[in-house]
Amino acid sequence: MKYILICVLLFTVNNLSAQTGNKSPQSSTEYKLISPEFPGGKTAKNHFLSTQIQYPSNAKENKIQGAVELRFIVELDGSLTNFQILKDPGGGLGEEALRVYHLMPKWIPGELYEQPARVPITEIVNFKLSPSKPSKKK
């Protein structure tokens, strides 16, 4: 009996969210979502990242590079919360990406049905070491 009640509750919750999750009040087939944006757009965000990121010494010494994948929520007021590191090549790269995203100014919040909305975002921060120049022998 307990098992049946849990299944019925789960079905009801999933069914309700499926009915309201993707349809707008105006249209039965689509919804209007405006994604959150870093103030100044993609170029400003890339500039912010390039000026704030410090390549971790552990990663440099061990020649670790790669992509860090972060997930977070852009809140109604544009603040960033609920950070998760989804992919981390190691050497402190994930922690450095997280540190810099915590420094970011508030974003322009997303909108759903022309109302501010909490929106989950997944971003990738690429870390790449500059090729070392060979030393010249005299």
Side-chain angles (χ1 to χ4, degrees), residues 113-137:
Y113 313 129
E114 300 176 359
Q115 297 294 318
R118 295 179 77 224
V119 180
I121 299 288
T122 299
E123 295 227 334
I124 295 174
V125 181
N126 288 305
F127 286 85
K128 188 171 183 180
L129 292 167
S130 300
S132 57
K133 296 179 183 176
S135 58
K136 294 181 181 179
K137 294 183 180 179

Side-chain angles (χ1 to χ4, degrees), residues 79-128:
S79 61
L80 309 182
T81 64
N82 298 1
F83 285 93
Q84 295 175 307
I85 298 174
L86 303 178
K87 182 181 174 190
D88 185 354
L93 298 180
E95 291 82 3
E96 178 60 11
L98 194 59
R99 180 190 73 80
V100 172
Y101 269 77
H102 278 288
L103 296 174
M104 282 188 171
K106 288 184 176 183
W107 287 32
I108 300 165
E111 291 183 7
L112 183 61
Y113 313 129
E114 300 176 359
Q115 297 294 318
R118 295 179 77 224
V119 180
I121 299 288
T122 299
E123 295 227 334
I124 295 174
V125 181
N126 288 305
F127 286 85
K128 188 171 183 180

Side-chain angles (χ1 to χ4, degrees), residues 12-32 112-113:
T12 305
V13 171
N14 285 337
N15 195 18
L16 288 174
S17 65
Q19 289 176 0
T20 60
N22 63 356
K23 296 179 184 175
S24 74
Q26 298 87 14
S27 169
S28 62
T29 59
E30 63 182 64
Y31 60 92
K32 294 181 181 181
L112 183 61
Y113 313 129

Side-chain angles (χ1 to χ4, degrees), residues 6 54 92 135:
I6 292 172
Q54 300 169 3
S135 58

Side-chain angles (χ1 to χ4, degrees), residues 28-85:
S28 62
T29 59
E30 63 182 64
Y31 60 92
K32 294 181 181 181
L33 173 68
I34 298 174
S35 294
E37 187 177 3
F38 185 87
K42 193 180 253 185
T43 302
K45 181 178 69 175
N46 289 341
H47 176 73
F48 179 87
L49 291 172
S50 68
T51 59
Q52 297 297 317
I53 287 180
Q54 300 169 3
Y55 214 101
S57 57
N58 184 29
K60 272 185 191 175
E61 291 166 7
N62 293 299
K63 296 183 170 114
I64 298 171
Q65 53 188 1
V68 173
E69 189 174 350
L70 294 176
R71 179 176 292 154
F72 54 92
I73 303 285
V74 180
E75 296 291 345
L76 300 175
D77 67 351
S79 61
L80 309 182
T81 64
N82 298 1
F83 285 93
Q84 295 175 307
I85 298 174

